[in-house]
Structures are given as structure tokens and as C-alpha cells.
Amino acid sequence: MRPSTGSPGALQSVIADQLDLSGLEGETLLVVACSGGTDSVALAHAVGVRRSLVIAHIDHGLREASSRREECRCVDRLGEILSVPVLRRTVPPGEIAGRAGEAGRSLEEVARDERYRLLLDILGQIAEERGVNPVLLTAHHRQDQLETFVMRAFSGRSPLGALGIPRERWLSGPRGERLPRFRVLRPLLECPRRDLVAYVRHQKLPCVHDPTNDDLHHLRNRVRLRALPLLEELFSPSDLSLRVSSFLGELDLLREGLRALIPHDAWGDFGTDRWSLDTGVFHALPRAARELVLRDAVYRLASGDRVSFRPFQRLVAGEGPVESAGLVASFRKGRLEIRQAVVRPVSIGYLWVVDTELRLRLVCEGVSAIRIGEEPAARGGWHLGPVVPPVVVRPRRRGDRVLHRGKKREVARLLEAPEVSSLIRGCAPVVEDREGVLALLGRGDPLCIRDGVRYTRDTHARPPGFITLGVAYEEAENYAERE
């Protein structure tokens, strides 16, 4: 039987019990992601009255300036009440909406990705400054679990994948970044939202209402405001969420049991950038076991945490090849192989892949002729990001465009600016990631960078999600004489 969280003391005790069950030591530094809304305010206070913590606040830049200021004041006030620090990251207004439109993704999805990227940045700052690995707490509760289940179950998600919100996960940066992984816990998953609302009222805590939670353009809001009330007419709200929570727990047990039955040699062999398994061993497994093995390989090799397994379902049936999520999978020479689709640096062409750091020497032999090679000297460098790997340095192509100052602009036009020399105009390479052109490499600073991307001199520590580039231009003697 689940413990009641109906009183303030009970909620604090239940959260403390959940943290104990997670194996946290008493001195572990906790960071609570707080938006200023009821749920995260209740979590931060219920944790903060019993142990020290840091509040992490992300201003997504999605609302009116007055609403955003009110949200910041609310979070700051909560920090004062608990006598704990508040660390904040701010997204420029309109940036997330513009990025969603350019990429053809939902505003909710892009905002979520940016939120976790910035939370990772805060965790990295704390780890560097305090010399400890903090644990992040988020305020997902029982109704969030129900909404997530409905969305995923009716979108065709496989029961062998996650149909609900896991109690914990690991948060890490893009593949190739030498960053620590941070643990994320959700201690409120068994708590109904009404108890969180009652807690905030009883404690007279500051909180704000986010009007985007009422916007029916977002799928989660349509599920919460339209679909769930229909289900709750048939089942009581508490019974419904409890049944879904119980069902998800049983699914977890089934998956764990199936994983335990898979032979050790059937999990395949991992290298630094690939995985492989004998096709005979793979096809001898039951279909559900084949899917679990593939999921394990894909999620361990793919970059980021938003990876769709759906394209790789073809491999379960013995079909291929498949190319998705920065991976290439195929059956070849008696083995099923999945490898990261990253090209190694070559200078014929030219194409150089940037893992985390690359220093180049560019020798211009004419208005558009260039030789490129690695530059061992660490000079003239800067950090650029955030990036979406893989990142490459390549020649400029006709039709290259970059999102710059709110518009998609032709790179060739940007190079026509009078302050750009003919040498740089002809030779400036392009830095590109999975989302398109990141920047143009100039003699010193970047000539232009994509909206939402920043750069800083490499005299500072490289921020999470950034790459380090160093560029040294040279002119071949005969070219300098002609000019």
C-alpha cells in the first residue's frame, strides 16, 4: 500500500524515504529543477527543510517579459525562504520558437531539450566548483506519469521500451564530450498532484501559473485537459493513475526478467564506436529478446537522449540496412553491425570531423584554393556551441545558408561585407553540425555564427556541449605577390 502524502510532514517523509531507497548518502548534494510552478516549488521546499540543496531555474524565454520576471522573483523568493542558492540560465526570447520552426519540431520538444542541456550546464558548474557530483531532482508526479503513458501507448510505442517516466535516469552531454554523467531522480512519481497543491497552500509558498500549460496546441495539454477527463468519467482519478502506475511497474519486472534470460554472449561486442553480434546468435533469440539487445546497443552508441528506436525495428525482422540517429546498421559477413556514422578527418576534399577539439592550419593558394592540415600550436582558439554532433569543417558550397539574426541568410552574401578580405572571402571554411551551418571560420573570430550559438576564447574552460576550434591562416608566397 502506498503511503499517504496528504499532510506537509507526510510529503516530506515520503520524499525522504524515496531518496533513501535510491541509495543516496546524506551528504549528497541535491539540485532541484524549479520552474516556480506548484509541483517544483513543493518538491524544493519539502527537500530543503530537511537538507541542503541548490535550486536550478531555467528561463526558457517563451513568455512575456512581465511573466518571466514574476517567475524569476518567485524562484528567488523560494531560495530566500530556504536560504539556498539559485542558479539560473536564460534563453533569449524567441530562440526556442525559432529553432522549433527551423527544425520542424514541436515547441515542447525543443524546450525540453534546451532545458536539460542548460540543467547539465548547471550541474557541471556545481561539480567543477565544489568537487562533487550533484544529483538532480525533478518534480514529475503521478498525473504526469498517467499523461505520459497515454501519449506513448497511443502513439504506437513498443511495450519493450519506456511507456512511462522512469524513476531515475542519467544525464550526460553530447557524445565525445569528456563530461561526467549526472544522476536524475523523480521522488514524486507516487504522489498525486492534489497533495502538492495542498502542501504549497499550507506552507503559504510563492508559486506561479504557467499559461502554456493551458495551450491546446501542445499534445500533453490536450491529453491532460481533454482525454483524461473522459477516462476519469469511467474510472476514479485516483484508481486510474494507480492502475497505470501498477501496470508500468509490472512491465518493468517483465523486461528485467526477459533481460536476465538472455545469454551473456548474445549482448554482442562493443568497440569505441561500434557494436556487433553473430547473426546466427541474433536470429536464434526470441523476437522480444532481439529487440531488447538492439535497444541496448542503439541507446549506448547514439548521441543524446532523444533517440527513436522505431527505424531500427526493421533489424528485428532481419531487414536492413538502417541509417538513423547518427548510426549505420547492417548485416554483413555473418554479423549484425551498428556503428557511429562519423567520418574520420581527411584533407582531400576536404572534410575534418571535430570530436571535441581541432586546431587547423589553412594555407590559401589562391582566391578559392586551400590546403588544410592540423595545427599543433594551441593558438587563436575559441569554444563554439552548443553543437549537435557530429560536427565537421568543410569547404563552402553553393547555396549554403545560415540562420543569422532571425533569418536564413546566404553565406555567400554574408561574405560580401566590405570588412571581409578577398583572401578570407575565397577560403573561409564552413563549420557544420547535424542542424546545419554553425559558423564561418575567419582569420581571428568566426565571421558569423548561427542564432543560438555562442563562442568564447579558449582561455576559459570549455562549456558542456561546446567544441574547441583553433584556426591559423597562411598565404602561399605566390598568392601574396599576385594580390
Side-chain angles (χ1 to χ4, degrees):
M1 183 174 178
R2 291 174 173 80
S4 171
T5 57
S7 69
L11 180 64
Q12 295 168 10
S13 297
V14 166
I15 293 175
D17 290 344
Q18 289 293 317
L19 297 180
D20 288 342
L21 289 172
S22 299
L24 288 186
E25 298 179 354
E27 63 272 15
T28 301
L29 179 60
L30 300 179
V31 178
V32 175
C34 183
S35 66
T38 301
D39 310 335
S40 57
V41 166
L43 174 62
H45 189 271
V47 173
V49 295
R50 296 198 175 199
R51 58 192 296 171
S52 63
L53 56 83
V54 174
I55 293 176
H57 176 230
I58 308 301
D59 176 2
H60 296 83
L62 292 173
R63 295 193 279 156
E64 296 293 331
S66 59
S67 298
R68 292 165 52 218
R69 285 194 296 269
E70 180 186 2
E71 179 183 304
C72 291
R73 284 195 296 267
C74 170
V75 176
D76 290 342
R77 177 59 185 145
L78 181 62
E80 293 171 1
I81 292 171
L82 295 172
S83 299
V84 300
V86 174
L87 296 183
R88 177 174 291 116
R89 296 292 186 271
T90 300
V91 181
E95 180 174 312
I96 288 178
R99 207 182 302 172
E102 289 292 333
R105 302 167 66 197
S106 72
L107 191 68
E108 182 182 22
E109 183 181 8
V110 175
R112 178 197 179 279
D113 288 350
E114 183 68 2
R115 177 166 62 253
Y116 275 105
R117 186 188 71 78
L118 293 174
L119 287 171
L120 178 64
D121 185 56
I122 290 175
L123 294 169
Q125 175 187 335
I126 294 171
E128 182 177 350
E129 292 177 351
R130 303 199 184 193
V132 297
N133 265 14
V135 173
L136 180 67
L137 305 184
T138 66
H140 297 89
H141 49 76
R142 191 189 292 172
Q143 276 68 34
D144 290 326
Q145 184 73 286
L146 176 58
E147 294 164 12
T148 300
F149 171 76
V150 171
M151 289 192 300
R152 291 179 176 177
F154 286 94
S155 66
R157 182 75 66 95
S158 167
L160 292 175
L163 288 181
I165 303 171
R167 295 182 183 278
E168 70 174 271
R169 55 168 288 197
W170 291 89
L171 186 62
S172 60
R175 184 179 65 228
E177 287 285 348
R178 295 178 177 85
L179 297 172
R181 298 167 69 237
F182 297 102
R183 196 178 181 196
V184 182
L185 299 178
R186 281 95 176 219
L188 296 180
L189 278 182
E190 297 297 335
C191 298
R193 189 172 189 274
R194 64 175 181 272
D195 290 353
L196 306 179
V197 174
Y199 182 91
V200 168
R201 288 176 178 169
H202 184 274
Q203 300 289 344
K204 296 181 172 58
L205 298 174
C207 65
V208 294
H209 172 67
D210 184 353
T212 60
N213 289 333
D214 304 322
D215 186 351
L216 293 177
H217 286 94
H218 303 311
L219 174 60
R220 182 175 290 275
N221 293 345
R222 294 199 299 274
V223 170
R224 181 192 308 117
L225 300 174
R226 290 184 173 178
L228 293 187
L230 295 176
L231 290 173
E232 290 169 353
E233 289 181 7
L234 303 175
F235 309 95
S236 72
S238 58
D239 283 349
L240 185 62
S241 57
L242 282 172
R243 290 177 183 180
V244 167
S245 180
S246 176
F247 174 73
L248 291 172
E250 291 173 0
L251 269 183
D252 287 342
L253 291 175
L254 285 172
R255 281 193 296 266
E256 290 173 11
L258 179 55
R259 290 178 68 90
L261 295 174
I262 297 175
H264 177 74
D265 62 350
W267 289 102
D269 302 315
F270 281 92
T272 55
D273 62 351
R274 66 191 60 218
W275 168 91
S276 67
L277 175 64
D278 181 271
T279 53
V281 173
F282 178 72
H283 289 304
L285 295 171
R287 184 184 179 92
R290 295 201 298 272
E291 180 173 333
L292 281 180
V293 167
L294 280 174
R295 283 181 180 273
D296 181 73
V298 167
Y299 295 149
R300 287 175 62 178
L301 287 173
S303 173
D305 66 338
R306 302 287 284 177
V307 178
S308 172
F309 183 74
R310 191 166 296 174
F312 297 93
Q313 288 279 11
R314 296 176 55 210
L315 299 170
V316 178
E319 302 173 3
V322 174
E323 185 168 350
S324 181
L327 303 176
V328 176
S330 61
F331 291 94
R332 55 194 300 270
K333 297 181 179 179
R335 297 187 72 82
L336 169 57
E337 181 181 85
I338 303 176
R339 58 182 174 83
Q340 295 171 350
V342 175
V343 184
R344 304 315 305 167
V346 296
S347 58
I348 302 172
Y350 52 88
L351 179 71
W352 286 73
V353 174
V354 189
D355 292 325
T356 56
E357 182 172 342
L358 181 63
R359 299 187 184 273
L360 299 172
R361 181 170 57 89
L362 308 179
V363 182
C364 298
E365 299 178 317
V367 175
S368 60
I370 190 171
R371 294 200 314 269
I372 186 168
E374 286 197 77
E375 169 61 58
R379 59 189 178 92
W382 25 268
H383 307 308
L384 183 72
V387 302
V388 183
V391 182
V392 299
V393 177
R394 62 165 176 80
R396 190 160 46 86
R397 300 176 188 143
R398 180 174 296 180
D400 274 341
R401 298 167 70 87
V402 60
L403 180 63
H404 186 59
R405 297 180 180 175
K407 291 184 179 180
K408 276 281 192 179
R409 303 178 188 271
E410 290 186 18
V411 168
R413 290 288 181 89
L414 294 173
L415 290 172
E416 292 174 0
E419 63 270 19
V420 179
S421 72
S422 58
L423 171 69
I424 303 301
R425 188 176 297 129
C427 298
V430 163
V431 185
E432 183 180 45
D433 69 356
R434 192 178 296 172
E435 292 188 351
V437 175
L438 271 168
L440 289 173
L441 299 184
R443 185 187 292 271
D445 297 338
L447 291 176
C448 73
I449 58 174
R450 186 172 68 210
D451 288 356
V453 175
R454 308 184 303 278
Y455 80 97
T456 179
R457 288 291 175 185
D458 65 357
T459 53
H460 307 285
R462 179 170 58 237
F466 281 54
I467 58 171
T468 301
L469 285 170
V471 182
Y473 272 98
E474 291 182 19
E475 299 176 23
E477 289 184 6
N478 59 341
Y479 175 63
E481 291 171 355
R482 285 199 303 270
E483 280 289 296

